[in-house]
Amino acid sequence: MPRDRRADDPAALQEALAGFVRAFGLHQPETTPCGQQISVSEAHALGELAQEGELRQVELTRRLRLQKSTVSRLVTQLSARGWVERAPAPDDGRGVVLRLTPSGRRAAQNLAQARRERFSQLLEAIPAHERAGVLHALDVMVEALDE
């Protein structure tokens, strides 16, 4: 990996980030980086729903950082797969609550297992003395994107 890139050069950041996206497989729209045949956005939605049990659709939109229309299509896709069910929000007739079906819970569990295996392999491939720096760099990137 080249180490002679200028740290203050935006092109160097773009090149490094593009290399990461490709190496991690994020440019493959219908497969997760852990090799599952599901889109990354669907995998993230399943993960959020599995973690919380149920979420309002508007909250899922916020957590995924996607547009409302994109999440609506995403939920329609997950529903068509039999993984998510919609229900009216009990306190607001206009709101929608999302829950995983039993099939959706199994899919989320399979994804979580594949993710654990992939990230364990990835972590083992990073030298132990560099792991904290990698995690810190990712946190700094997220903070910069949030500004």
Side-chain angles (χ1 to χ4, degrees):
M1 174 166 44
R3 297 226 184 240
D4 58 350
R5 294 184 272 194
R6 287 190 29 209
D8 60 349
D9 182 359
L13 176 61
Q14 186 275 326
E15 182 181 315
L17 196 51
F20 172 79
V21 166
R22 292 175 187 155
F24 201 51
L26 293 172
H27 64 304
Q28 299 171 7
E30 296 305 317
T31 305
T32 66
C34 54
Q36 302 301 297
Q37 295 298 309
I38 178 176
S39 75
V40 172
S41 57
E42 287 176 323
H44 279 264
L46 284 179
E48 290 294 331
L49 290 167
Q51 180 179 338
E52 296 299 328
E54 70 178 34
L55 282 173
R56 285 177 167 270
Q57 187 164 319
V58 68
E59 177 60 14
L60 183 62
T61 299
R62 186 191 68 74
R63 289 180 182 204
L64 297 180
R65 299 178 183 215
L66 295 172
Q67 298 293 317
K68 286 175 18 178
S69 60
T70 302
V71 172
S72 182
R73 284 190 302 276
L74 178 62
V75 170
T76 297
Q77 292 166 342
L78 292 171
S79 182
R81 287 182 181 242
W83 290 349
V84 169
E85 60 186 14
R86 296 177 173 120
D91 59 340
D92 176 9
R94 295 178 300 154
V96 175
V97 174
L98 306 172
R99 293 181 196 92
L100 293 179
T101 64
S103 178
R105 282 191 293 279
R106 283 191 300 278
Q109 290 167 348
N110 291 340
L111 281 165
Q113 179 62 34
R115 191 170 42 249
R116 276 190 299 277
E117 291 171 9
R118 176 69 172 118
F119 280 89
S120 291
Q121 293 168 352
L122 182 57
L123 192 59
E124 288 176 20
I126 298 170
H129 69 278
E130 301 223 25
R131 292 175 186 165
V134 169
L135 293 173
H136 177 71
L138 290 170
D139 288 341
V140 169
M141 290 283 294
V142 170
E143 288 173 16
L145 289 166
D146 283 343
E147 288 183 1

